[in-house]
Each structure stands twice: as structure tokens, then as C-alpha cells.
Amino acid sequence: MSLVTLVGYPASGKSSRAAQLVASISKLLPPHLSAVVVSDETLNIAPSAYDDSRTEKPARAALFTAVQRMLSPTTVLIVDAPNYIKGFRYQLYCAAREMKLRVCTIYVVATPDLCHKWNDARTDGRAYSTATLENLIVRFEEPSSMVRWDSPLFTVPWNEELPTSDIAQAILSGSVKPPNSGTIAAVKAPTDALHVIEQIATATVDAIISAQAETQGSGGLVTLPISSELKLPISLPPRNLTLSELQRLKRQFVTVHKKAVTLGTTEKGAVDWTEQSVAHKFVTYLEEYLRS
């Protein structure tokens, strides 16, 4: 469905805004959809995890893993955490795009003095230490509507109402950006891909040699019986192709495609290593060479 990223200073009121948003959005959702909040609190990540980078990194990784697990076409997922690093917000954005979900960012704005005041007033054991709170405020990277991973951006000052109708429109009916090359997972070739390439290329060469013997080198369009179930047409030149020439072309073809298998080349996401596909690629490769 969508991913909503809350951004703001620690103790700026993000959790209150998340609760307001859930209450408002839930009324608009059909029964099969839901609004869910994932936060440091729901994951039992203590505020003290931000005291030191050695504990903050695994805490942030745990949050990101939870977000990936909870992203769903049937869920409005609200991430209630500091999210103060733009690189982390970009990670969240990429995860949502990979799932083809809508995204939006809500920037909850409060002054540092207010954040210190509200943090000191907490009695639930989830207050930040003064030094950690100040450090996070100094390191905070403000979101911008000019960058795609923070857009659409809703800036909500602490003393203003949450624009729930505009947010609802963005996350329920806004545009869905398709995954790009940076978010598409590489498609792995099957384990027998190399064997299929070698086997089909060899069978194709043998079929061409047999076809030339029957046509006596006259060329033209012939059908190659590559296997009992696979037959493909090919245009041969009006001359005999020698076995050494065909073997050389076969080696070139196999070498290129071995590299594609080894490196995980996705061919724009459409990898097909079936016998028919490999045979068609090899015949096309040969015809292009013979026309040149």
C-alpha cells in the first residue's frame, strides 16, 4: 500500500503524530487494509542505543529489517523513529519502491528547547540522555521536498494540526513510482545454465553442418532440428560454412553468455536460460555475423 516516514528531532512529538495519523487513516481504509506503526518502542530499541555509534548501527539495522518484513500491498506502514539520516531515509524509499508502494514523509517540527522540555518530562523510561538528545539534534539532516526520497513532504509544526486529508490522498491514491535499476534485485541464472548454453550451441553447429550437406552449400532458409522438440529456421549464405568457422563463432557466443551467467547479468530484468531461448539467441547471433 504505502510507506510513511516520520522525521524530526527526538522527543519532538512524532509518536503523537503517528497515533493521530493511524486514527484518521484507519477510518478511510477498507476492511482488508490496515495502518500499522513500527517504531523503536515496538521493537524494544532503547533510547540509550543512540548513545554510541556501535549500538546505534545495529539498532538502525533492526528497524530497517522490520520495515522490510512489514511492507505490504495491504498495509500503510508508518515508521516512527528519528530517521534523521538522509541515507537511511533513502534506504526506506528504495525498499518501498522495490515493493511498488506509495511513499510520503512527514516532518514533525519542534524547537530544540521544546524537545529538551518534553524529553525531561517523560516518565515511561524512554527518555534520551541530555548529551544524546543534543548530539542527535546537531546531527539531524533536514528532509527536503527537492529530493525524491523525501517527497511528497509534509512539514507539520508542533503547534499546527496534522494535514490528514492531504496525507491520506498521497498514501491512498498518489502516484506509485516503479522500481529502477538501483532497486531491482538481480535475477540469478539456473545452475544448469552453462550446460544448456554449451549443449544447445554444439547441437546447433552440428545441425548446420548436416543442413549444408543436404543443400550442397546452396544456402537460403533452412530449418535446423536442434533437438527432437526444438526446430528453428536460419538463413544460410550461398557457401559452405566450415566447421572451424562455426566452432569459433560458438566459442565467442558461449564466452559472452558464460560471463553473463557468472556476473548475474539481468538483461534489463528479462533473463531466460531455457533451451529454446538459448537456441534462438545463438541462431540470431549467427545470422547477424553472416550478414556482416
Side-chain angles (χ1 to χ4, degrees):
M1 185 67 182
S2 56
L3 172 71
V4 181
T5 304
L6 289 175
V7 183
Y9 293 156
S12 60
K14 294 187 298 300
S15 295
S16 297
R17 298 298 191 175
Q20 292 173 12
L21 185 59
V22 169
S24 300
I25 294 297
S26 296
K27 299 175 183 178
L28 303 175
L29 295 175
H32 67 286
L33 301 179
S34 61
V36 178
V37 176
V38 59
S39 65
D40 286 351
E41 185 172 2
T42 62
L43 298 176
N44 294 318
I45 297 174
S48 59
Y50 295 90
D51 291 349
D52 186 278
S53 61
R54 290 174 297 179
T55 55
E56 180 181 345
K57 287 180 180 179
R60 198 160 55 239
L63 175 63
F64 182 67
T65 300
V67 169
Q68 286 182 302
R69 184 176 63 250
M70 297 173 71
L71 285 174
S72 165
T74 61
T75 302
V76 176
L77 184 60
I78 302 167
V79 185
D80 172 21
N83 300 325
Y84 69 95
I85 299 174
K86 62 183 178 182
F88 183 68
R89 298 198 297 269
Y90 178 70
Q91 281 185 288
L92 296 175
Y93 165 82
C94 288
R97 282 195 66 175
E98 187 174 348
M99 292 282 292
K100 299 182 180 179
L101 306 181
R102 297 179 179 88
V103 297
C104 85
T105 303
I106 301 175
Y107 179 19
V108 180
V109 181
T111 65
D113 288 343
L114 277 175
C115 292
H116 278 284
K117 178 181 177 182
W118 292 337
N119 184 65
D120 292 341
R122 298 196 72 152
T123 58
D124 57 0
R126 296 200 58 82
Y128 295 88
S129 70
T130 301
T132 297
L133 178 59
E134 188 60 37
N135 183 40
L136 292 175
I137 289 175
V138 170
R139 293 164 56 197
F140 182 78
E141 296 176 339
E142 187 172 322
S144 169
S145 60
M146 300 298 291
V147 297
R148 61 190 183 279
W149 58 86
D150 287 333
S151 299
L153 175 64
F154 298 91
T155 301
V156 186
W158 67 274
N159 57 351
E160 293 186 10
E161 293 295 323
L162 193 69
T164 51
S165 59
D166 293 337
I167 295 172
Q169 183 177 2
I171 62 180
L172 300 180
S173 58
S175 62
V176 179
K177 298 178 180 179
N180 57 25
S181 59
T183 62
I184 297 176
V187 180
K188 298 295 184 182
T191 55
D192 64 342
L194 294 176
H195 174 71
V196 170
I197 293 170
E198 183 71 40
Q199 183 182 48
I200 292 299
T202 299
T204 303
V205 169
D206 292 342
I208 291 175
I209 294 297
S210 297
Q212 287 188 146
E214 293 178 5
T215 61
Q216 297 182 348
S218 59
L221 185 65
V222 299
T223 299
L224 302 178
I226 298 173
S227 69
S228 58
E229 299 178 353
L230 181 58
K231 296 177 175 60
L232 287 178
I234 186 173
S235 294
L236 296 177
R239 66 177 178 87
N240 271 324
L241 298 171
T242 65
L243 179 59
S244 61
E245 182 180 9
L246 290 171
Q247 291 283 21
R248 177 173 56 82
L249 293 173
K250 187 197 84 167
R251 285 194 298 272
Q252 291 175 355
F253 176 83
V254 170
T255 299
V256 169
H257 286 78
K258 274 186 177 180
K259 186 176 181 180
V261 172
T262 304
L263 298 180
T265 301
T266 62
E267 296 184 359
K268 299 182 179 179
V271 174
D272 186 355
W273 300 104
T274 61
E275 291 184 357
Q276 182 173 358
S277 176
V278 172
H280 179 75
K281 289 178 181 179
F282 186 40
V283 167
T284 302
Y285 177 83
L286 291 173
E287 288 183 325
E288 288 178 352
Y289 168 80
L290 297 173
R291 281 198 301 265
S292 61

